[in-house]
Every structure is written in structure tokens, then in C-alpha cells.
């Protein structure tokens, strides 16, 4: 199916070096606050596996935090299995349903939506990551919808904005 080829091409188009900010929404102030991030995305050459290494500058006390994620794309299941590793924390494994939103103009202009049921803030939740690529700029917005209440609302949790390093 063409959409799967487009989705694989969109994912692979992220290969390379990026830098920007990871920001969190302060609900009280209704403002975004962030820290610098540098990301290296490496295609593993099989059309399915990508390794993402992100270094976050978490200030003078903590220093640089490295988060490494190995992602495996399954076009038949329209899913991404993501294993995430960070020093001092247990590794996590999540399987996201993944789809291309709307029409991808080309491999540098697209929107990908990933969703998974997981835990957030020690509560059962659906997590949604919407990644919008516009040329050399990419923004990923992580939202959460808690499943243990009667509300149906998506809360913005964080966002990462990256620019490609040439």
C-alpha cells in the first residue's frame, strides 16, 4: 500500500543530526519551559530499524542526560516498537500504532501520529505523539488522555522542536 511506503520514507527521512529544545508546559503559568537537546538518528539499513540518541542538557546539577531509543517499524501492522534506555532507569518497551496524517507532500513535509496505551503520572493513559516535519524543522507534541476518569480530554505533556544540522 502506498501509505506504508510513504510512512517508511517519512521515518527514514529523519536520519541525521538535529538540535533544539525539549519543552514542558507549566499548567499554572500556561507557558512552555525547556532545555536544550541534541539528537542523532541513525538508519540501520533494513528499512525498519532506527536508533535515536538524544542528549539533554539538564542543568549544572544533573548535566547531560542521554536517552537512547531503538525503534522497529512494522509496515504490515502499522506499528513502531520502541525500546528506550536511560541511565538510572528501567528500560521501557512500547508498541505504538502509527499512521501518516493527511497527505505527505514529500519525505520532508508530513505529519505522523503515534498512539499507545501506557502509564503516565502513575495513571493508565493513552499517549499520543504528533510529529510534524516541515523541511529542516520538526516538532513532536506529546499529549496524554487519562483513562481512569470520565473526562475525554488530551493534555499537552511536552514538545520537542528540532532543526536539522547541515
Amino acid at each position: 500500500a502506498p501509505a506504508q511506503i510513504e510512512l517508511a520514507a517519512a521515518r527514514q527521512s529523519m536520519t541525521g543530526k538535529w538540535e533544539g529544545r525539549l519543552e514542558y508546559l507549566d499548567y499554572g503559568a500556561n507557558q512552555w519551559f525547556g532545555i536544550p537537546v541534541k539528537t542523532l538518528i541513525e538508519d540501520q539499513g533494513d528499512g525498519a530499524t532506527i536508533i535515536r540518541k538524544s542528549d539533554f542538557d539538564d542543568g549544572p546539577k544533573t548535566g547531560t542526560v542521554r536517552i537512547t531509543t531503538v525503534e522497529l517499524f512494522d509496515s504490515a501492522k502499522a506499528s513502531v516498537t520502541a525500546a528506550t534506555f536511560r541511565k538510572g532507569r528501567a528500560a521501557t518497551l512500547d508498541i505504538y500504532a502509527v499512521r501518516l496524517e493527511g497527505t505527505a507532500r514529500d519525505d520532508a513535509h508530513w505529519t505522523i501520529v503515534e498512539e499507545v496505551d501506557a502509564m503516565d503520572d502513575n495513571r493508565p493513559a493513552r499517549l499520543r505523539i504528533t510529529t510534524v516535519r516541515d523541511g529542516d524543522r520538526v516538532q513532536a507534541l506529546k499529549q496524554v488522555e487519562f483513562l481512569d476518569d470520565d473526562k475525554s480530554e488530551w493534555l499537552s505533556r511536552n514538545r520537542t522542536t528540532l532543526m536539522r544540522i547541515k
Side-chain angles (χ1 to χ4, degrees):
Q4 293 170 345
I5 294 164
E6 289 175 16
L7 189 50
R11 288 180 46 74
Q12 286 181 309
S13 77
M14 291 295 295
T15 298
K17 292 181 178 180
W18 301 81
E19 66 179 26
R21 292 180 69 72
L22 167 65
E23 299 176 297
Y24 293 90
L25 184 59
D26 178 323
Y27 296 113
N30 198 30
Q31 280 187 301
W32 291 94
F33 295 94
I35 58 175
V37 61
K38 291 182 179 178
T39 298
L40 173 64
I41 300 173
E42 300 169 318
D43 181 0
Q44 299 306 294
D46 61 5
T49 309
I50 289 172
I51 298 177
R52 176 187 311 258
K53 301 171 190 170
S54 293
D55 291 329
F56 300 89
D57 180 352
D58 208 8
K61 247 190 216 169
T62 305
T64 300
V65 173
R66 161 69 60 97
I67 299 176
T68 304
T69 304
V70 179
E71 299 179 1
L72 180 64
F73 174 60
D74 183 335
S75 61
K77 293 181 179 170
S79 69
V80 171
T81 301
T84 302
F85 304 88
R86 176 178 174 175
K87 179 179 155 186
R89 296 205 182 166
T92 62
L93 182 71
D94 291 300
I95 301 174
Y96 292 84
V98 61
R99 70 181 186 274
L100 209 52
E101 188 86 2
T103 306
R105 223 169 64 220
D106 55 41
D107 68 3
H109 299 87
W110 45 256
T111 300
I112 292 176
V113 177
E114 298 172 280
E115 289 187 351
V116 65
D117 287 346
M119 298 295 285
D120 188 277
D121 201 21
N122 293 317
R123 296 172 63 188
R126 176 157 293 136
L127 307 179
R128 177 171 64 200
I129 302 168
T130 304
T131 304
V132 178
R133 171 127 188 232
D134 185 12
D136 287 338
R137 182 180 188 275
V138 173
Q139 186 170 83
L141 175 66
K142 180 179 177 182
Q143 296 171 294
V144 61
E145 210 275 279
F146 291 107
L147 303 175
D148 62 354
D149 60 27
D150 293 336
K151 292 186 235 166
S152 178
E153 64 176 341
W154 288 95
L155 304 171
S156 293
R157 184 59 90 211
N158 62 52
R159 70 182 178 197
T160 304
T161 305
L162 300 172
M163 297 295 294
R164 182 178 288 286
I165 300 172
K166 301 259 188 214

